[in-house]
Amino acid sequence: MKIKHAAELLEKAGIKVSYSIDFIKEEVPPYTNYYQLEKRDTWEYGLFICERENHPYIRNIYKFDSEDRGVKYFFLDRLSSYYFTNRIQPFIAQHNELDIGGTGFSEERLVKALNLLNIPSSYLYDKNNKNHTNTTMSISIEQTPDMLYQLSLRGKNGVILQSIPSMSRQRALFMVFKKIYLLFIYDTTVRKTLQNSGLLSEFTEEDIKYFL
């Protein structure tokens, strides 16, 4: 993926950016922190910190050995943040009765939230599916011996692509909700955008974890 392609697609989604041949950043109000990707010795993705700072600086987060990898990360990470703010958070606010992220958010309320969003049950991994075949990627949640919970992103074949460090039950249920909703948004919105732009074939299941 090239910087120009990422910039065009982000602009279409409503995310303002500025870019050059070896640089792309979010356009934000003055004195507001922003994320950027810049080519130095490698492609470096970081947060430019200027809020309440006399001496602004860049906190580098990730380094990539190619433009393609770096731009994909910038594109998917910033798009994910946009959808979290504009779709996920409003849903949470509109459904206080579910207490999403709170102590009252249970497995039953998780299922109810997904039903309200018309998200198919296939996005929540079913360990009883012996064939381990699915029409979608999915999120699994398992209790660990130390009574914490382990979350994993799984491919359509059920293979684990990424696992998240163990966490409390309350935190785990919120993360399952968030990641399943983002996966659903990717499949129903982002995938169509990439397909219409002729870029879908460039993205793999491994890349999608950047969106989550």
Side-chain angles (χ1 to χ4, degrees):
M1 189 179 207
K2 299 296 184 182
I3 283 180
K4 180 181 178 181
H5 296 148
E8 291 173 348
L9 294 182
L10 289 171
E11 290 277 358
K12 285 181 181 179
I15 303 170
K16 295 186 179 300
V17 298
S18 59
Y19 69 98
S20 66
I21 192 171
D22 56 6
F23 179 81
I24 184 170
K25 75 177 187 70
E26 298 175 298
E27 282 295 315
V28 297
Y31 309 111
T32 302
N33 299 341
Y34 60 82
Y35 287 92
Q36 66 174 47
L37 175 73
E38 182 177 17
K39 184 180 182 182
R40 296 184 178 178
D41 293 333
T42 58
W43 288 85
E44 298 183 3
Y45 175 82
L47 177 63
F48 186 81
I49 299 176
C50 57
E51 292 180 10
R52 296 184 294 278
E53 288 288 341
N54 292 326
H55 303 286
Y57 64 96
I58 297 175
R59 186 173 72 203
N60 287 324
I61 301 175
Y62 293 113
K63 294 184 178 182
F64 302 90
D65 58 7
S66 69
E67 177 184 6
D68 178 67
R69 303 305 300 173
V71 172
K72 280 181 179 178
Y73 188 92
F74 181 91
F75 171 70
L76 291 174
D77 185 67
R78 294 299 83 215
L79 202 58
S80 175
S81 177
Y82 174 83
Y83 284 123
F84 180 73
T85 299
N86 291 279
R87 288 182 61 173
I88 298 178
Q89 286 186 327
F91 178 84
I92 292 172
Q94 291 165 10
H95 293 279
N96 289 325
E97 76 281 1
L98 297 176
D99 195 26
I100 299 173
T103 57
F105 192 51
S106 61
E107 289 85 348
E108 292 77 14
R109 290 184 175 184
L110 168 63
V111 171
K112 184 174 182 180
L114 299 181
N115 287 338
L116 286 171
L117 290 163
N118 294 316
I119 296 177
S121 60
S122 58
Y123 283 90
L124 183 59
Y125 180 75
D126 181 7
K127 63 182 179 181
N128 295 317
N129 178 4
K130 302 302 182 183
N131 293 324
H132 298 299
T133 56
N134 211 340
T135 56
T136 65
M137 296 174 69
S138 59
I139 302 296
S140 64
I141 178 171
E142 297 178 288
Q143 191 171 24
T144 63
D146 54 1
M147 303 305 290
L148 293 175
Y149 289 81
Q150 177 80 60
L151 269 64
S152 297
L153 168 67
R154 294 177 180 265
K156 293 180 181 180
N157 60 1
V159 172
I160 293 177
L161 301 176
Q162 181 185 44
S163 291
I164 302 173
S166 299
M167 63 191 75
S168 68
R169 175 179 175 275
Q170 179 181 338
R171 179 65 176 167
L173 287 173
F174 172 74
M175 292 301 292
V176 169
F177 167 76
K178 176 185 174 182
K179 288 182 178 296
I180 285 179
Y181 198 173
L182 284 171
L183 264 180
F184 181 69
I185 291 172
Y186 185 89
D187 283 344
T188 57
T189 303
V190 180
R191 184 180 292 275
K192 290 180 181 178
T193 299
L194 293 172
Q195 188 169 31
N196 292 338
S197 302
L199 297 171
L200 183 59
S201 62
E202 296 186 20
F203 287 76
T204 66
E205 287 188 342
E206 284 287 339
D207 293 323
I208 297 172
K209 64 187 180 185
Y210 295 157
F211 189 70
L212 306 182

